[in-house]
Amino acid sequence: MNRTSQIISVAKQTIVTESKAIMHLADLVNEEFAEAVETIYKSKGRVVITGIGKSANIATKIVATLNSTGTPAIFMHAADAIHGDLGTILKDDVVICISKSGNTPEIKVLVPLIKGRGNTLVAITSNRESFLGVQANYVLHAYAEKEACPNNLAPTTSTTAQLVIGDALAMALLDLRGFSSKDFARFHPGGSLGKKLYLRVSDLTSLNECPQVHPDTDVKKVIIEISEKLLGVTAVVEDQKIVGIITDGDLRRMLTKEDSIKGLTARDIMSANPKRINNDAMAVEAMEIMDKHGITQILAEENGVYCGVVHIHNLTKEGII
């Protein structure tokens, strides 16, 4: 087998091994899982997630997912916890401890301390019979028969299983909370995902100039309007209604066809009935229309009255694209 074939073979085997483990996890989700979710949901405190090594890395990701979907969570490294950070845990917090073996020295020291404080302890472990599994109030069984590593050493399948269990936990809590797309936007106001859920066309048109000419406007003035407003386009407006659009491309096509522009008006070169969007529509809708029709600007209106222009650069700047 040549090197390329060997690389492909190893990669595919890794994916197959981990995917089989993930599929098996579905059979391990039971009433105990549901009870753990209910306990977290009803808790007046936060979720404190702890672990060591690669499990600690998974813990930080689960914390991020919980926080972004409405469940307050923080990370506490297991090694730091037994050297002063145990004070991170408050009275009403639920603690989730992640460990493949459930028998590491740090876990064996930490678990009794958590239990002694009276906090509910949830384990995410591959070994239900481990020290952690036996001591925990609830066990979320992240079973991994073997690692994808050929030596069965490097945490691969096991950490993937932990991550999937964490996602399942977060989504179950999201469902209980009735967490909506509007809630998601409130938790992600600065991110592109959130902006897709709350940013409206009016937020973008307000940033731009509002180029417009009358159908009888001389072409020379049309060129000046497009140049001054820096959007590469102008609306053709009559009685506040959009009747056409003129773009840089329309001007170039005019110059290739006409020997003289004298006497030409906006009406002569405009494209009638241009694509338009309501000023109150979501910005992502403007993106979809522009993408579908291969255009870089779209005109906005409100109650039939021309409001302005959305340019593809606005969408790029806001992270919508």
Side-chain angles (χ1 to χ4, degrees):
M1 183 181 294
N2 62 37
R3 185 187 295 268
T4 299
S5 298
Q6 179 69 15
I7 291 171
I8 294 172
S9 176
V10 171
K12 287 185 175 181
Q13 186 56 50
T14 299
I15 293 170
V16 168
T17 299
E18 295 197 8
S19 64
K20 286 181 178 179
I22 291 172
M23 288 300 297
H24 181 57
L25 291 179
D27 297 328
L28 302 179
V29 175
N30 53 20
E31 290 79 6
E32 187 174 16
F33 184 98
E35 290 172 7
V37 171
E38 286 281 6
T39 297
I40 294 171
Y41 176 67
K42 295 175 181 178
S43 170
K44 296 179 181 179
R46 309 157 301 172
V47 176
V48 179
I49 308 184
T50 188
I52 196 163
K54 300 299 185 294
S55 294
N57 295 332
I58 298 300
T60 59
K61 191 277 178 185
I62 298 174
V63 164
T65 301
L66 288 172
N67 279 323
S68 68
T69 53
T71 299
I74 59 171
F75 170 70
M76 178 185 69
H77 197 283
D80 292 337
I82 59 178
H83 291 286
D85 283 2
L86 198 62
T88 299
I89 304 173
L90 302 180
K91 178 183 176 182
D92 294 320
D93 291 342
V94 175
V95 181
I96 297 178
C97 189
I98 305 176
S99 172
K100 176 190 176 182
S101 72
N103 288 314
T104 60
E106 293 85 0
I107 295 301
K108 287 186 174 181
V109 172
L110 179 59
V111 165
L113 297 175
I114 295 171
K115 297 278 287 184
R117 296 169 65 94
N119 294 89
T120 298
L121 177 63
V122 178
I124 297 180
T125 182
S126 183
N127 184 4
R128 292 189 65 95
E129 307 307 317
S130 65
F131 180 82
L132 173 61
V134 171
Q135 293 294 320
N137 298 99
Y138 303 102
V139 176
L140 309 185
H141 200 185
Y143 179 70
E145 181 179 359
K146 63 178 180 178
E147 302 289 3
C149 167
N151 300 312
N152 199 30
L153 294 174
T156 45
T157 309
S158 60
T159 48
T160 299
Q162 293 167 358
L163 185 62
V164 171
I165 288 294
D167 284 343
L169 178 72
M171 293 306 101
L173 287 164
L174 177 149
D175 183 67
L176 281 180
R177 297 184 193 285
F179 197 82
S180 67
S181 59
K182 289 183 179 180
D183 295 317
F184 190 87
R186 288 193 300 108
F187 281 78
H188 299 75
S192 60
L193 290 175
K195 286 184 178 180
K196 286 181 180 180
L197 296 170
Y198 77 78
L199 199 68
R200 296 190 179 275
V201 169
S202 57
D203 296 319
L204 302 179
T205 55
S206 63
L207 301 174
N208 297 330
E209 295 282 357
C210 192
Q212 60 181 296
V213 296
H214 188 271
D216 296 326
T217 300
D218 183 79
V219 164
K220 184 176 180 180
K221 292 183 179 179
V222 171
I223 295 172
I224 293 172
E225 180 73 359
I226 292 176
S227 299
E228 288 182 346
K229 300 302 169 59
L230 302 175
L231 292 170
V233 66
T234 184
V236 183
V237 178
E238 188 171 20
D239 296 328
Q240 298 185 299
K241 309 290 185 183
I242 299 170
V243 296
I245 189 172
I246 300 174
T247 67
D248 283 337
D250 293 320
L251 295 178
R252 289 192 295 271
R253 284 186 287 274
M254 174 197 69
L255 293 174
T256 61
K257 293 178 180 179
E258 306 290 340
D259 294 328
S260 171
I261 65 172
K262 187 176 181 180
L264 290 178
T265 65
R267 192 191 310 274
D268 298 319
I269 63 171
M270 73 179 189
S271 298
N273 300 315
K275 297 291 181 294
R276 62 193 79 185
I277 191 168
N278 192 285
N279 206 39
D280 193 48
M282 306 306 296
V284 69
E285 294 179 42
M287 177 196 72
E288 291 168 355
I289 295 172
M290 292 161 71
D291 182 61
K292 179 179 179 180
H293 297 282
I295 55 179
T296 56
Q297 310 101 337
I298 187 169
L299 304 181
E301 61 184 4
E302 187 170 339
N303 297 322
V305 176
Y306 171 60
C307 294
V309 178
V310 177
H311 195 284
I312 195 169
H313 291 162
N314 298 130
L315 299 172
T316 302
K317 185 176 180 179
E318 294 294 337
I320 301 297
I321 296 179

